Amino acid sequence: MTDPVRPVPHRPGAVSLFFVAKAGVFALGFWIWLLVLVLTGDEATGAHVLAATGATTTTLVGVVLGARLAVQRSAAVRHAELKRLLVDISWNAFTAAGNAGTSGKVVPFPTLPAEDERPSRERVSAFDRGPAGDRAGRDRGGNGDRRR
């Protein structure tokens, strides 16, 4: 049986990709400006500092945004695979439950017992129990022996 055509998972990042490209263009511009200043001038000025600061800042911003984009895309692919796996598991369990009468290899789904079959459980705190775990020594009177 061949796999049906599956839709392409959601790929986030059109806006993020725009900002990564924009940071790359600005970084390239700052690096070119710094290179021109270094090749034409002989002493460092404020323009050199501005160009170097802009180049390093926009390069770092581009790297951080690019890493974020890569992580988003990777997470989107993992999420799509997880959804696909859950659908496959649920479909296989559904079909196996339908074949449960004919095959001995299928483990049926666990079901909860009906309300009348459930044992009645009364909530008892650990302070209400006696030393042996029983409730015989329980005192609800107002004699001041109450633990807090």
Side-chain angles (χ1 to χ4, degrees), residues 23 26-31 33 48-60:
F26 275 94
L28 181 66
F30 276 116
W31 283 111
W33 183 33
H48 288 84
V49 173
L50 181 64
T53 304
T56 56
T57 302
T58 54
T59 301
L60 289 175

Side-chain angles (χ1 to χ4, degrees), residues 65-99:
L65 289 177
R68 181 177 175 264
L69 176 65
V71 167
Q72 279 182 339
R73 287 189 177 220
S74 174
V77 169
R78 281 194 318 268
H79 181 70
E81 286 297 320
L82 181 64
K83 285 188 346 186
R84 190 174 299 130
L85 180 66
L86 287 173
V87 167
D88 288 344
I89 288 171
S90 65
W91 179 252
N92 289 336
F94 173 73
T95 57
N99 297 332

